[in-house]
Amino acid sequence: MRFLPTVWRALGDPVGMFRLYVRVLELLGKEARLGLALAFANLVLAGAQFAEPVLFGRIVDVLSSDKPASSAWPLLGAWVAFGLFTIITGAAVALNADRLAHRQRQAVLSNYFEHIMQLPLTFHSGTHSGRLMKVMLNGTDALWRLWLGFFREHFAAILSVIVLLPLSLVVNWRLAILLFVLCIVFTLITTFVVRKTYGMQSQVEEHYSDLSARASDAIGNVALVQSFVRIEAEVQGLRFIAANLLQAQMPVLSWWALVTVITKASTTITVLAIFALGIALHARGLTTVGEIVMFVSFATILIQKLEQVVAFINNIFMEAPRLKEFFQVLDAVPAVRDRPDAIEAGRLAGLVEFSDVTFSYDGKRPAVEDLSFTALPGQTIALVGPTGAGKSTAIALLHRAFDPQSGFIKIDGMDVRGIKLAALRRNIGVVFQEALLFNRSIADNLRVGKPDASEEEMRKAAARAQALEFIDRSSHGFDTNVGERGRLLSGGERQRLSIARALLKDPPILILDEATSALDAVTEAKVNAALDEVMRGRTTFVIAHRLSTIRNATRILLFESGRVIESGTFDELVAKGGRFTELARAQFMVQESVKQSTDQNANQSTETSAGSSIVKA
């Protein structure tokens, strides 16, 4: 039985189709014990199924000989017993295989979801969410189909072929040669078709991924599509991808349809060949009528099992591209993870220290370089500078979206890499530029910060965030659904809700990432009032382009090309007359400072003049 390894080699897959399938079976996890029991049951079934044609042949020999017909009854009884055993065992195998496949499919789907949620933001920013969903659903569906097919029929079919061929040699080696020829023909045909279609099927899966990503992209930006009258263009784009998909898929289907036709034709050819050879052998006394009937049954069963084996190979072949995508994501290792000796830090005070921190995304140009500063508990540190200067990267390093290549970041004297990720991020609250909300109720979105929060706690946080008014005005209060990404709320309402979420979490360290950049003046005033409330008593890092929002910051760090080029309070930086002064002038923030400085100088001059007059007097 060397035809299966030949087919594996014929696939030409660098990962190795056989190894791929072994990994599919390894994912059975806790269900592996049941899988072994089903495998043993399949082995027993494979032996029991061939008892029927053997008994059939023996009964025919008894009836066609001079022996009394009554001697056929024990054989018939044994046939009935084997038949009942096969039916009952087959039903039990099918039932348990179904349950195993469904249970493990849900378990793997949950584990996969947990895995991708732990992958770093760099992975998600470079991978379309629609593609990830497609990989998750298609991959788990493929696993389910392979598990189900393997334990219900494919493994039994493989074992049947392995059992049948040696058994047929024992019964009549001359007739058995025809069965071996049949296996060889199947091997050659399957190998040829797999070689022809393997690359084609990989292209088909690429088109499926493109289709999923394109559809998800259009639906996620439906407002843009409608406002720019892009519906027809997007539909045409999707149809174009679908047409390419069909164009790639049809040749694959045609080749496998050819295998099906040849398989059915071989049934008739093999049976006719067995009868022809059997008649010739019977005329020479080299076989009996019962053996001829037996081998016709053997051939019928063998072709049925070979069809299942080919279906098994076809299934692996068709599912391989989906499984490879699935395993590629599953094998992605988070760049940031807990150290073996990481500690559960509890609630931190908020003393943050950056010491000679350098980080680069591509290993060539540093995003931040030799960054050093300290934020005391309760201070507000503002990070300003042009886009791409390194502000967001510095803050991302704080909550370990990445780890620096050199230098270290400490909180309360502890290296952040020595603190468990969950513990670190529980101590840090983030209010993003875009209010990130789930398509769930207001209460569900608030409880992201504190899962066990009571309604009274939520009302208090919402009131402090200037959000209670619009929540009470909503149709169902805290049970009101906010829509996908919060689209049923206005921009200001979404932002105030995200601030209330941060208040409810009550972290000692807060990050405000351009939290008011997209708001109008009236809404910004409300949000700023909410931000003043949430910043009170916390170490706060503010990423800002509007300098008006960081007028009262404890310290301002001006970034340029990954470095801090100026540092100080607002007035100190303006007085320096450097790059920060240019930014302030561009945003009409210098006039006030200059006026204050002029007034102070005027007052000093008046005092000096008065002093001089007194001296003269």
Side-chain angles (χ1 to χ4, degrees):
M1 277 304 298
R2 305 176 68 177
F3 76 102
L4 280 175
T6 303
V7 173
W8 299 133
R9 289 193 297 272
L11 291 172
D13 180 13
V15 174
M17 299 293 284
F18 182 74
R19 287 167 52 203
L20 182 68
Y21 197 73
V22 168
R23 185 160 186 193
V24 168
L25 295 178
E26 286 175 348
L27 278 181
L28 286 172
K30 295 180 180 178
E31 301 287 347
R33 186 171 297 177
L34 176 58
L36 287 173
L38 291 174
F40 178 76
N42 276 308
L43 178 61
V44 175
L45 272 174
Q49 285 174 346
F50 291 106
E52 296 185 33
V54 170
L55 291 168
F56 183 27
R58 297 303 180 215
I59 290 172
V60 170
D61 280 339
V62 168
L63 296 177
S64 61
S65 67
D66 296 332
K67 295 179 181 179
S70 59
S71 61
W73 286 110
L75 295 173
L76 185 61
W79 189 355
V80 171
F82 274 109
L84 288 174
F85 174 79
T86 301
I87 292 170
I88 294 171
T89 305
V93 167
L95 178 62
N96 283 283
D98 282 1
R99 292 178 174 178
L100 177 150
H102 280 85
R103 283 197 302 262
Q104 199 57 22
R105 173 198 196 181
Q106 302 308 322
V108 171
L109 187 146
S110 300
N111 291 337
Y112 176 93
F113 180 75
E114 180 181 7
H115 175 72
I116 61 175
M117 294 302 291
Q118 292 174 339
L119 291 175
L121 295 178
T122 47
F123 175 87
H124 288 281
S125 60
T127 309
H128 198 284
S129 58
R131 187 178 293 266
L132 282 177
M133 285 295 295
K134 177 253 181 189
V135 169
M136 179 175 74
L137 296 176
N138 283 2
T140 51
D141 283 349
L143 289 168
W144 172 75
R145 285 190 291 268
L146 290 175
W147 288 328
L148 191 63
F150 183 78
F151 289 113
R152 286 187 71 169
E153 56 184 28
H154 294 151
F155 186 55
I158 295 170
L159 290 175
S160 296
V161 174
I162 294 172
V163 169
L164 177 95
L165 293 177
L167 180 62
S168 64
L169 284 171
V170 173
V171 175
N172 190 311
W173 66 269
R174 296 175 180 86
L175 290 173
I177 291 173
L178 290 174
L179 301 183
F180 276 90
V181 170
L182 181 62
C183 287
I184 293 171
V185 170
F186 262 85
T187 301
L188 294 176
I189 292 172
T190 305
T191 301
F192 176 74
V193 172
V194 169
R195 279 187 178 276
K196 293 290 289 185
T197 58
Y198 180 75
M200 297 179 189
Q201 187 60 31
S202 296
Q203 291 179 356
V204 169
E205 286 308 311
E206 289 178 9
H207 289 310
Y208 269 117
S209 295
D210 292 341
L211 187 71
S212 177
R214 181 66 178 254
S216 175
D217 206 28
I219 293 171
N221 292 285
V222 65
L224 175 67
V225 171
Q226 291 180 353
S227 63
F228 280 81
V229 198
R230 288 278 307 173
I231 295 177
E232 184 61 30
E234 291 300 320
V235 171
Q236 288 297 330
L238 196 70
R239 285 175 179 162
F240 177 75
I241 295 174
N244 288 338
L245 190 157
L246 286 174
Q247 188 176 5
Q249 183 74 82
M250 290 306 177
V252 178
L253 299 177
S254 298
W255 280 110
W256 285 102
L258 177 64
V259 173
T260 303
V261 171
I262 294 173
T263 300
K264 293 186 181 301
S266 63
T267 304
T268 303
I269 295 170
T270 304
V271 170
L272 289 173
I274 287 173
F275 269 117
L277 181 59
I279 291 170
L281 293 175
H282 182 68
R284 297 180 183 180
L286 297 175
T287 189
T288 65
V289 175
E291 286 182 352
I292 295 173
V293 173
M294 190 187 307
F295 267 85
V296 169
S297 298
F298 278 171
T300 304
I301 293 175
L302 180 62
I303 290 169
Q304 178 190 3
K305 299 305 178 184
L306 285 174
E307 284 179 338
Q308 292 176 354
V309 172
V310 169
F312 165 67
I313 296 169
N314 185 23
N315 286 349
I316 298 177
F317 160 73
M318 297 291 280
E319 306 290 8
R322 297 169 192 156
L323 290 172
K324 286 172 67 177
E325 276 190 315
F326 182 83
F327 286 130
Q328 281 171 1
V329 176
L330 203 60
D331 291 340
V333 179
V336 176
R337 53 188 182 275
D338 286 335
R339 288 179 173 177
D341 59 345
I343 63 171
E344 182 69 45
R347 186 174 178 85
L348 301 171
L351 171 62
V352 177
E353 301 170 81
F354 278 67
S355 180
D356 298 322
V357 172
T358 297
F359 175 79
S360 172
Y361 291 100
D362 56 10
K364 299 176 182 177
R365 186 177 67 87
V368 293
E369 187 174 8
D370 298 329
L371 181 60
S372 298
F373 67 88
T374 300
L376 300 177
Q379 287 188 336
T380 297
I381 308 297
L383 289 74
V384 300
T387 301
K391 308 182 298 296
S392 296
T393 301
I395 296 305
L397 291 168
L398 175 60
H399 59 87
R400 292 197 69 197
F402 328 102
D403 280 334
Q405 276 96 25
S406 64
F408 58 84
I409 302 169
K410 290 184 177 180
I411 300 180
D412 293 358
M414 295 179 288
D415 193 320
V416 293
R417 290 168 291 194
I419 302 173
K420 287 187 177 180
L421 271 171
L424 173 68
R425 290 169 182 172
R426 274 197 297 268
N427 280 279
I428 300 175
V430 184
V431 179
F432 298 96
Q433 179 178 4
E434 177 188 0
L436 304 177
L437 299 175
F438 292 113
N439 185 17
R440 302 169 194 171
S441 68
I442 290 174
D444 287 337
N445 277 284
L446 289 177
R447 287 194 174 109
V448 169
K450 187 179 181 183
D452 59 346
S454 65
E455 184 170 345
E456 182 181 350
E457 290 174 312
M458 289 191 295
R459 290 187 69 84
K460 184 178 179 181
R464 292 174 65 193
Q466 311 289 314
L468 189 58
E469 178 186 353
F470 78 79
I471 293 174
D472 286 338
R473 198 170 59 241
S474 302
S475 55
H476 298 95
F478 282 94
D479 293 326
T480 302
N481 193 284
V482 302
E484 186 179 2
R485 299 182 183 178
R487 287 176 179 169
L488 296 179
L489 303 177
S490 70
E493 289 170 345
R494 289 196 296 268
Q495 199 62 289
R496 279 177 277 167
L497 202 59
S498 66
I499 293 169
R501 181 171 59 195
L503 277 167
L504 200 59
K505 183 178 181 180
D506 190 27
I509 299 171
L510 181 67
I511 296 170
L512 304 177
D513 188 357
E514 289 287 340
T516 63
S517 63
L519 305 178
D520 61 81
V522 175
T523 305
E524 183 183 1
K526 292 182 179 180
V527 172
N528 279 333
L531 288 175
D532 288 340
E533 184 67 27
V534 76
M535 290 164 62
R536 189 174 302 159
R538 308 176 201 281
T539 306
T540 306
F541 295 90
V542 183
I543 299 175
H545 284 104
R546 292 187 186 181
L547 301 186
S548 59
T549 61
I550 46 97
R551 182 69 177 77
N552 298 318
T554 309
R555 192 175 353 152
I556 299 170
L557 306 177
L558 177 60
F559 279 73
E560 187 173 286
S561 301
R563 291 177 174 271
V564 175
I565 59 172
E566 293 182 14
S567 173
T569 64
F570 187 94
D571 292 335
E572 288 171 350
L573 292 177
V574 168
K576 288 181 180 179
R579 292 296 304 276
F580 185 84
T581 306
E582 295 176 12
L583 289 176
R585 184 179 296 114
Q587 296 185 27
F588 305 103
M589 292 289 295
V590 171
Q591 300 298 327
E592 178 186 353
S593 301
V594 170
K595 184 177 183 300
Q596 289 176 354
S597 178
T598 303
D599 291 343
Q600 289 174 357
N601 291 336
N603 290 336
Q604 289 175 357
S605 299
T606 303
E607 291 172 1
T608 303
S609 299
S612 300
S613 299
I614 292 170
V615 171
K616 288 177 181 177

